[in-house]
């Protein structure tokens, strides 16, 4: 249990700080002592309240033109991803996915350095968001969704608010599916409740630290965690 507590504190601090990345941190730490079937439902129940907190904290920044198209694509991806995995090599898809995340994080870093934004537009943006949604649906990893939104939203608070609204939609559907298929059990729910105090403390601590930073620093942190996520996924699937 102590490893789950450490994972919760670190993962949810990152969540409060940059708005995403908690799944990667939580799964990486807990995978040493638990199976994925025991990790995913606990992480899902911990993530859901944190998504709501970050989405509703600055609800005035919610813009359906930002989050709704991405949420629709993610929902479609959730239902089509499993079927696609029957015909695709999951490791190759993840490697390609990791390379895209690394490349886009470098692009975002250069945009911040030059103070010139080059957002994705038109068909390129649509294709990118469809790919991001399918990846989210197939593997439950929202990193590419964060890349796409971060590349098109300048203000970090607007970014975190709308990104987590997408996560609220996706995790709501996943909780229903997990309940239907019996993946969420009484033991899972009990363990999650025991971790809730640590989750709330860590999320609000991350948000507090982020609020004391200037906008440029937070942007660099977002890009850094995107880059680390991409490298981690690449190394994991190459080994």
């Amino acid at each position: 249990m102590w490893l789950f507590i450490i994972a919760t504190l670190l993962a949810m601090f990152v969540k409060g700080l940059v708005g995403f990345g908690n799944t990667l941190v939580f799964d990486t730490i807990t995978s040493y002592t638990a199976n994925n079937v025991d990790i995913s439902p606990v992480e899902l129940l911990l993530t859901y309240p944190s998504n709501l907190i970050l989405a509703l904290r600055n609800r005035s920044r919610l813009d359906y033109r930002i989050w709704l198209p991405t949420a629709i694509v993610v929902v479609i991806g959730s239902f089509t991803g499993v079927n696609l995995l029957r015909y695709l090599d999951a490791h190759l898809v993840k490697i390609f996915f990791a390379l895209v995340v690394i490349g886009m994080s470098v692009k975002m870093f250069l945009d911040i350095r030059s103070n010139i934004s080059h957002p994705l537009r038109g068909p390129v943006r649509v294709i990118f968001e469809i790919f991001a949604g399918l990846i989210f649906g197939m593997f439950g990893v929202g990193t590419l969704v964060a890349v796409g939104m971060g590349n098109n939203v300048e203000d970090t608070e607007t970014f975190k608010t709308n990104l987590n609204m997408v996560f609220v939609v996706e995790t709501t559907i996943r909780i229903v599916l997990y309940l239907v298929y019996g993946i969420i059990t009484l033991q899972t729910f009990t363990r999650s409740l025991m971790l809730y105090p640590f989750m709330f403390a860590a999320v609000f601590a991350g948000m507090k630290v982020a609020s004391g930073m200037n906008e440029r620093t937070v942007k660099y942190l977002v890009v850094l965690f995107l880059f680390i996520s991409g490298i981690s996924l690449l190394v994991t699937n190459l080994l």
Side-chain angles (χ1 to χ4, degrees), residues 77 79-90 93 134-135 138:
F79 287 100
T80 60
V82 175
N83 290 322
L84 282 176
L85 280 176
R86 294 178 183 176
Y87 308 102
L88 299 174
D89 187 316
V93 173
L134 289 174
I135 290 294
M138 283 190 280

Side-chain angles (χ1 to χ4, degrees), residues 67 70-71 74 136 145 149 162-170:
W67 68 264
T70 303
V74 165
F136 201 170
V145 176
M149 194 167 290
N162 287 277
L163 176 65
N164 278 275
M165 191 61 197
V166 174
F167 291 160
V168 167
V169 173
E170 191 275 336

Side-chain angles (χ1 to χ4, degrees), residues 7-19:
T8 299
L9 289 171
L10 292 177
M12 293 305 163
F13 179 79
V14 169
K15 176 76 168 180
L17 189 65
V18 298

Side-chain angles (χ1 to χ4, degrees), residues 72-209:
I72 291 172
V73 173
V74 165
V75 170
I76 293 172
S78 295
F79 287 100
T80 60
V82 175
N83 290 322
L84 282 176
L85 280 176
R86 294 178 183 176
Y87 308 102
L88 299 174
D89 187 316
H91 285 291
L92 290 178
V93 173
K94 286 184 178 180
I95 289 171
F96 179 70
F97 161 44
L99 291 173
V100 172
V101 171
I102 293 169
M104 289 297 294
S105 63
V106 171
K107 174 191 175 299
M108 291 167 67
F109 173 77
L110 295 175
D111 285 351
I112 297 171
R113 285 287 300 273
S114 63
N115 285 318
I116 300 175
S117 178
H118 299 91
L120 301 176
R121 299 187 185 280
V124 174
R125 180 176 180 178
V126 173
I127 292 171
F128 186 91
E129 289 193 346
I130 290 173
F131 180 62
L134 289 174
I135 290 294
F136 201 170
M138 283 190 280
F139 306 114
V141 179
T143 308
L144 207 58
V145 176
V147 169
M149 194 167 290
N151 194 71
N152 291 282
V153 178
E154 289 294 322
D155 175 61
T156 54
E157 282 302 316
T158 301
F159 160 75
K160 288 198 288 186
T161 300
N162 287 277
L163 176 65
N164 278 275
M165 191 61 197
V166 174
F167 291 160
V168 167
V169 173
E170 191 275 336
T171 49
T172 298
I173 293 173
R174 197 142 48 98
I175 285 175
V176 172
L177 291 175
Y178 277 25
L179 286 170
V180 170
Y181 289 108
I183 298 173
I184 294 178
T185 63
L186 180 60
Q187 182 182 3
T188 300
F189 187 70
T190 302
R191 173 173 281 186
S192 300
L193 283 180
M194 292 174 65
L195 293 170
Y196 267 27
F198 304 101
M199 179 271 292
F200 283 117
V203 167
F204 284 112
M207 291 166 60
K208 181 68 175 178
V209 172

